[in-house]
Amino acid sequence: MAGPKGNAVIGQSGGPTAVINRSFIGAIIEARKHGEILEFYGARHGINGMLNNEYVPLFEQPNFVLQQISCTTAAALGSIRHKPSSDECNRIFENFKKMNVRYFFYIGGNDSAETAYIINSFAAHEKYDLRVVHIPKTIDNDLLITDHCPGYGSAAKYVACAFMGDNEDNRALKGVKINVVMGRNAGFLTAASILGRQYPKDGPHLVHMPESPFDIDLFLKSVDKTFKDHGRALIAVSEGINKQGIYNLKTGEKPEYISTWLNSFVNLNLPKKYMPKGENKAVEVDSHGNVSLSGSGMMGDILAYIVKSTLNIKRVRSDTLGYPQRSFPLAISEVDAREAFKVGVDAVIAAIGDHFDEGSVAIKRVDQDGIYKIETFISPLQSIQKNTRSFPKDWITEDGKIDERKFREYVSPLVGELPMAGRFVKAIF
Amino acid sequence: MAGPKGNAVIGQSGGPTAVINRSFIGAIIEARKHGEILEFYGARHGINGMLNNEYVPLFEQPNFVLQQISCTTAAALGSIRHKPSSDECNRIFENFKKMNVRYFFYIGGNDSAETAYIINSFAAHEKYDLRVVHIPKTIDNDLLITDHCPGYGSAAKYVACAFMGDNEDNRALKGVKINVVMGRNAGFLTAASILGRQYPKDGPHLVHMPESPFDIDLFLKSVDKTFKDHGRALIAVSEGINKQGIYNLKTGEKPEYISTWLNSFVNLNLPKKYMPKGENKAVEVDSHGNVSLSGSGMMGDILAYIVKSTLNIKRVRSDTLGYPQRSFPLAISEVDAREAFKVGVDAVIAAIGDHFDEGSVAIKRVDQDGIYKIETFISPLQSIQKNTRSFPKDWITEDGKIDERKFREYVSPLVGELPMAGRFVKAIF
């Protein structure tokens, strides 16, 4: 049977991407074409809006608004990072029943897939007829099953361009430059830095992903060698580099992050008035009363310091590429935008179909005659939630480097065309 | 008389920009049209190439190479930060004489203008016939005389877009976000963050430029108020914020940078093997044997920490926008690119002209019927070198904010069109 007539709720969750709104608007535009979905409600800040009945009526938005929002980075409905408890599920379903909600779409990564899974299980348990579809997005590209995730292509384009520009900068003013790239447990985004290379001596010269163990002494040796060979070194480091390497973790074992390790050497002895007072859950103080600066923002600075102090190189700089990776409005990949729209459309088509199975929209490649082409299919929520995917082991060569041919073949269609740098003839330097 | 027949040398100096190569290529293409310049030599890494006779022959570069290099960010010849001593001038002029160099073009900011001034004075003193023209570039927009500097428009476009994206991100996941912007002693680039605002409640909600004094306690009060008013706060902070404010400095007085002040509270107690040993001029150690992390990279992190700890706000993040501000290849302003090309062309036209005066190419606005238009003129090197310009005082309102109308009128034509964000109707949040 076709989907029931009823209302739909959609929410956005987790870290925003440059194209998450394409999926969101794709779902609305498709839903408008069919009779099954009577009204489409956008939950403000995901689960939070569902708990507090804060919804945006979507069918009454004018077309030019939908068009504009689809081209806007980040999550127009507002986002959240929260998994509903069973109490919260009760409250959500009270609202859903009153509102006659029969369709639920949740756009996000694997945590959001887990939320969708929880909602779906709760509906099944309550014998409440609800069709749940998860719509994938993540800049980390770490979802299982799908060939790649909408949001990744644009973030990869940003990273590629940042490295391309920085490679030119580093050629002009030589030294060591360390750029810290997003992606705590998966190296896909850090790997995209190699797209910045266009000529044989271009950087990044060293790329460190969370999948492989990071040893600071080996790192310093390679920086030294690179600097001696090229007179400069451009380095890509994932925010999630760790001592063991994700590949080598045993079940249940947590990665020992280099950022945490380096931050442990930092003491911030601020004047007392700027230190936390009494109950302050916003900051952490260790057993010695020292404050620790969380996050990976300082990792680049400390690594740069260590390079300076041990290798005696004068010009050492670092940047943490930061939020522009996921929100810069001028680095949107066209393919990524199109596919993000498509997974939104296909989520609705699946939801109202005759034979419905709960799940997440996944992408597979069906290249024809060497031309890039994709199809989508629905993969059960169970298969997407909780676990994540690493950079494929067989894309790493024996000497621990990225297999550039394999990775470029995979990533180039997702990123699209990149700017070209120029070089003098007969004057290579 | 027209310029003498002879050879020309061109160099690039100081921090690269996204369009410095446009000026460089503009000069070559113009020079090719005239008979005065016989061969055009590109000095590798500015003064350094002139000292070591490292030149790229430019007239023999194919057109497609010139075209590609003009669209490449950063300095294709390589850059340098160095002022020639009189010994070095002697060596440079020995080479110049052998090479029959009669024209010298130097692309850079006020330090580079000073180098051009030194070269020019040396030539005059030696009674050596050399026509010296400085070609302006800087992302800081801090050169005197000229209405604006090539390089600024593109950097401003990057900053505007980074804030635009981050404003969407901060709306989606609410909290406090601090972005540190380049421009050590001039607030033009930090001010460009306000171009990210498109709707009444958009950020940046607070903007701190080096021109005005920065008081951390007042800062915390405004963050607190903004967060209470909006449920979030997006903040632009110049890397050069300081205690006195550039406007209030007495002659010879140095700004007390907030970054230096905050870094003084940081102790980095690294394992001994990562600390500097013996003679190491790359890093600084204070009288207590503590190492200090230089630069402004950590300022954002420490400010974020203080906001967390004193205001008890959980989600506080910071980014230092870093090198992409000057080298990101997808944020080039068309007007900026065109004008950068033009100042290169006009430098050559001036140099080979009948009545030559040494100087720097400066831009003035000659808007017609409200339509943006510029002309260039030559301003003496003396007038450009050493001193820099601040953000105009009369573009600051009585309550210390940027006069948005005045500044937008000035900056919008330089930056060009920006992406538009979308908002729901009847659901403002």
Side-chain angles (χ1 to χ4, degrees):
Chain A
M1 61 153 217
K5 274 192 199 279
N7 295 319
V9 161
I10 189 166
Q12 295 172 306
S13 170
T17 78
V19 297
I20 183 172
N21 285 332
R22 308 267 176 162
S23 302
F24 166 48
I25 302 299
I28 303 171
I29 286 174
E30 186 61 29
R32 267 189 179 166
K33 292 195 217 156
H34 304 279
E36 287 82 354
I37 295 179
L38 304 172
E39 181 51 279
F40 211 144
Y41 296 106
R44 284 161 62 163
H45 298 283
I47 289 297
N48 213 39
M50 288 151 66
L51 285 168
N52 303 312
N53 258 329
E54 292 178 336
Y55 291 108
V56 181
L58 298 173
F59 279 165
E60 57 189 74
Q61 300 296 321
N63 281 333
F64 81 91
V65 166
L66 298 185
Q67 164 62 20
Q68 251 185 342
I69 288 179
S70 78
C71 296
T72 304
T73 60
L77 286 170
S79 191
I80 194 171
R81 295 181 193 277
H82 181 70
K83 216 174 286 176
S85 65
S86 71
D87 262 9
E88 289 172 331
C89 281
N90 268 317
R91 281 168 57 198
I92 288 169
F93 274 83
E94 265 174 46
N95 291 335
F96 273 16
K97 282 171 193 169
K98 273 186 219 150
M99 290 165 65
N100 189 30
V101 173
R102 296 294 165 187
Y103 299 92
F104 175 57
F105 302 95
Y106 213 43
I107 314 175
N110 68 312
D111 284 335
S112 313
E114 193 180 347
T115 293
Y117 180 76
I118 291 169
I119 297 284
N120 190 64
S121 308
F122 199 92
H125 181 262
E126 296 269 300
K127 299 202 169 83
Y128 179 78
D129 187 10
L130 182 73
R131 295 185 164 201
V132 177
V133 181
H134 171 257
I135 301 171
K137 75 84 214 163
T138 133
I139 61 162
D140 294 341
N141 203 38
D142 63 351
L143 292 187
L144 292 172
I145 311 289
T146 191
D147 177 78
H148 57 276
C149 306
Y152 171 63
S154 298
K157 183 172 177 178
Y158 181 90
V159 169
C161 290
F163 272 86
M164 197 172 286
D166 222 3
N167 179 59
E168 298 303 320
D169 202 296
N170 188 248
R171 288 177 76 239
L173 285 175
K174 292 186 173 194
V176 174
K177 178 75 194 295
I178 302 167
N179 288 335
V180 179
V181 183
M182 277 181 168
R184 202 137 183 89
N185 295 314
F188 290 100
L189 202 51
T190 302
S193 64
I194 69 167
L195 298 176
R197 294 181 197 149
Q198 299 187 13
Y199 296 89
K201 291 180 179 178
D202 284 354
H205 306 98
L206 302 171
V207 179
H208 291 277
M209 306 201 289
E211 281 83 352
S212 303
F214 185 87
D215 178 305
I216 186 126
D217 299 310
L218 291 179
F219 169 73
L220 291 169
K221 264 185 204 158
S222 7
V223 176
D224 192 39
K225 184 176 170 3
T226 308
F227 190 75
K228 278 172 185 155
D229 289 352
H230 296 274
R232 65 186 190 98
L234 179 60
I235 301 165
V237 160
S238 163
E239 61 177 346
I241 47 168
N242 58 84
K243 294 194 180 173
Q244 309 101 312
I246 302 287
Y247 288 148
N248 308 317
L249 288 181
K250 287 167 202 127
T251 319
E253 197 188 356
K254 292 252 160 88
E256 294 174 42
Y257 292 112
I258 299 298
S259 60
T260 312
W261 178 66
L262 290 175
N263 281 346
S264 74
F265 300 118
V266 176
N267 283 319
L268 190 56
N269 302 308
L270 288 168
K272 214 166 184 185
K273 63 195 270 206
Y274 304 125
M275 299 289 271
K277 276 166 278 296
E279 275 286 306
N280 186 329
K281 288 177 187 160
V283 292
E284 282 164 33
V285 182
D286 73 11
S287 55
H288 306 284
N290 292 327
V291 294
S292 75
L293 289 167
S294 60
S296 57
M298 311 228 319
M299 182 169 73
D301 289 310
I302 303 174
L303 281 177
Y305 182 86
I306 294 176
V307 168
K308 268 190 188 184
S309 84
T310 58
L311 304 182
N312 208 344
I313 299 172
K314 191 142 189 170
R315 197 169 184 279
V316 186
R317 302 280 187 277
S318 83
D319 275 324
T320 300
L321 297 187
Y323 281 20
Q325 291 169 97
R326 70 188 199 192
S327 66
F328 197 73
L330 299 182
I332 294 171
S333 146
E334 273 182 49
V335 169
D336 189 31
R338 208 158 54 227
E339 292 183 352
F341 193 87
K342 182 175 167 58
V343 296
V345 166
D346 290 357
V348 168
I349 291 174
I352 62 173
D354 285 348
H355 303 285
F356 174 75
D357 295 308
E358 55 79 13
S360 175
V361 182
I363 292 170
K364 69 176 164 201
R365 289 195 200 213
V366 289
D367 293 9
Q368 277 179 340
D369 303 326
I371 293 173
Y372 175 76
K373 200 179 157 195
I374 61 148
E375 278 174 8
T376 65
F377 63 102
I378 301 292
S379 182
L381 292 169
Q382 178 95 58
S383 67
I384 307 291
Q385 62 148 350
K386 289 197 169 155
N387 293 320
T388 56
R389 167 169 85 138
S390 295
F391 193 84
K393 235 178 185 168
D394 60 347
W395 294 359
I396 304 282
T397 60
E398 269 177 33
D399 57 350
K401 298 215 169 96
I402 294 165
D403 186 321
E404 197 155 337
R405 196 191 56 75
K406 283 185 186 165
F407 179 61
R408 277 188 189 262
E409 200 175 289
Y410 169 79
V411 79
S412 297
L414 317 183
V415 170
E417 218 182 327
L418 291 172
M420 271 288 288
R423 293 285 182 272
F424 296 116
V425 290
K426 296 192 224 167
I428 291 126
F429 71 101
Chain B
M1 64 152 215
K5 275 191 200 278
N7 296 321
V9 162
I10 189 165
Q12 296 172 305
S13 169
T17 78
V19 297
I20 183 170
N21 285 333
R22 308 268 175 160
S23 303
F24 165 50
I25 302 299
I28 303 171
I29 286 174
E30 186 61 29
R32 268 189 179 166
K33 293 195 217 157
H34 305 278
E36 287 82 355
I37 296 179
L38 304 172
E39 181 52 279
F40 212 144
Y41 297 105
R44 282 161 62 161
H45 299 282
I47 289 297
N48 213 41
M50 289 150 68
L51 285 167
N52 302 314
N53 259 330
E54 292 178 336
Y55 291 108
V56 180
L58 298 172
F59 280 166
E60 55 189 75
Q61 299 297 321
N63 283 333
F64 82 90
V65 166
L66 299 184
Q67 164 62 19
Q68 251 186 341
I69 288 179
S70 78
C71 297
T72 304
T73 61
L77 285 170
S79 190
I80 193 170
R81 296 180 193 278
H82 180 70
K83 218 174 286 177
S85 65
S86 72
D87 263 11
E88 289 173 331
C89 281
N90 269 317
R91 281 168 57 197
I92 288 168
F93 275 83
E94 265 175 45
N95 291 335
F96 274 17
K97 282 170 193 167
K98 273 186 220 153
M99 290 165 66
N100 190 30
V101 173
R102 295 296 164 185
Y103 299 92
F104 174 57
F105 302 94
Y106 214 44
I107 315 176
N110 68 312
D111 285 334
S112 313
E114 193 180 348
T115 293
Y117 180 77
I118 292 168
I119 298 284
N120 189 65
S121 308
F122 198 92
H125 181 262
E126 297 269 300
K127 297 204 170 83
Y128 179 79
D129 188 9
L130 182 73
R131 295 187 164 199
V132 176
V133 182
H134 170 256
I135 300 171
K137 74 85 215 163
T138 133
I139 61 161
D140 294 342
N141 202 38
D142 63 351
L143 292 187
L144 291 171
I145 311 290
T146 191
D147 177 78
H148 58 276
C149 305
Y152 171 63
S154 298
K157 183 172 176 178
Y158 181 89
V159 169
C161 288
F163 272 87
M164 197 173 287
D166 222 2
N167 179 58
E168 298 304 320
D169 202 295
N170 188 248
R171 288 176 77 238
L173 285 175
K174 292 186 171 193
V176 174
K177 177 76 195 295
I178 302 168
N179 287 336
V180 180
V181 184
M182 277 182 169
R184 201 140 181 86
N185 294 313
F188 289 100
L189 201 52
T190 303
S193 64
I194 70 166
L195 297 176
R197 294 181 197 147
Q198 300 188 13
Y199 296 88
K201 292 180 178 179
D202 283 354
H205 306 99
L206 302 171
V207 179
H208 291 277
M209 305 201 291
E211 281 83 352
S212 304
F214 185 86
D215 178 304
I216 187 130
D217 298 310
L218 291 178
F219 169 73
L220 291 169
K221 265 185 204 158
S222 7
V223 176
D224 192 38
K225 185 175 169 1
T226 307
F227 190 75
K228 278 173 183 154
D229 289 352
H230 296 274
R232 65 189 190 98
L234 179 61
I235 301 166
V237 161
S238 163
E239 62 178 346
I241 48 168
N242 58 85
K243 293 193 180 173
Q244 310 101 313
I246 302 287
Y247 287 149
N248 308 318
L249 289 181
K250 287 165 202 128
T251 319
E253 195 188 357
K254 292 250 161 89
E256 295 173 42
Y257 292 113
I258 298 298
S259 60
T260 312
W261 178 68
L262 289 176
N263 281 346
S264 74
F265 300 118
V266 177
N267 281 319
L268 191 56
N269 301 308
L270 288 168
K272 215 166 183 185
K273 64 195 271 205
Y274 304 126
M275 298 288 273
K277 276 166 278 295
E279 276 284 306
N280 185 328
K281 287 177 186 159
V283 292
E284 282 165 33
V285 182
D286 74 12
S287 54
H288 307 283
N290 292 326
V291 295
S292 74
L293 289 168
S294 60
S296 56
M298 311 230 318
M299 182 169 73
D301 289 311
I302 303 175
L303 281 178
Y305 182 85
I306 294 176
V307 169
K308 268 190 190 185
S309 84
T310 58
L311 303 182
N312 207 344
I313 298 171
K314 190 141 190 171
R315 196 167 185 282
V316 186
R317 302 281 188 278
S318 83
D319 275 323
T320 301
L321 297 187
Y323 281 19
Q325 291 168 97
R326 70 189 199 192
S327 65
F328 197 74
L330 299 181
I332 294 170
S333 145
E334 273 182 49
V335 168
D336 189 32
R338 207 157 56 226
E339 291 182 355
F341 194 87
K342 182 176 167 58
V343 296
V345 167
D346 290 358
V348 168
I349 292 174
I352 62 173
D354 286 349
H355 304 284
F356 175 74
D357 296 308
E358 55 80 10
S360 174
V361 182
I363 292 170
K364 71 176 163 198
R365 287 194 201 213
V366 291
D367 292 10
Q368 275 178 343
D369 304 326
I371 293 173
Y372 175 77
K373 200 178 158 194
I374 61 149
E375 277 174 7
T376 65
F377 63 102
I378 301 292
S379 182
L381 291 169
Q382 178 96 59
S383 66
I384 307 290
Q385 63 149 346
K386 288 198 168 156
N387 293 321
T388 56
R389 167 168 85 137
S390 295
F391 193 83
K393 235 181 186 166
D394 60 347
W395 293 359
I396 304 281
T397 60
E398 271 178 32
D399 57 350
K401 298 214 168 96
I402 294 165
D403 186 322
E404 197 156 337
R405 197 190 55 73
K406 283 184 185 165
F407 178 61
R408 276 187 188 263
E409 200 174 290
Y410 168 80
V411 80
S412 296
L414 318 182
V415 170
E417 216 181 329
L418 291 172
M420 272 286 288
R423 293 284 183 272
F424 296 116
V425 291
K426 296 192 223 164
I428 293 127
F429 69 101

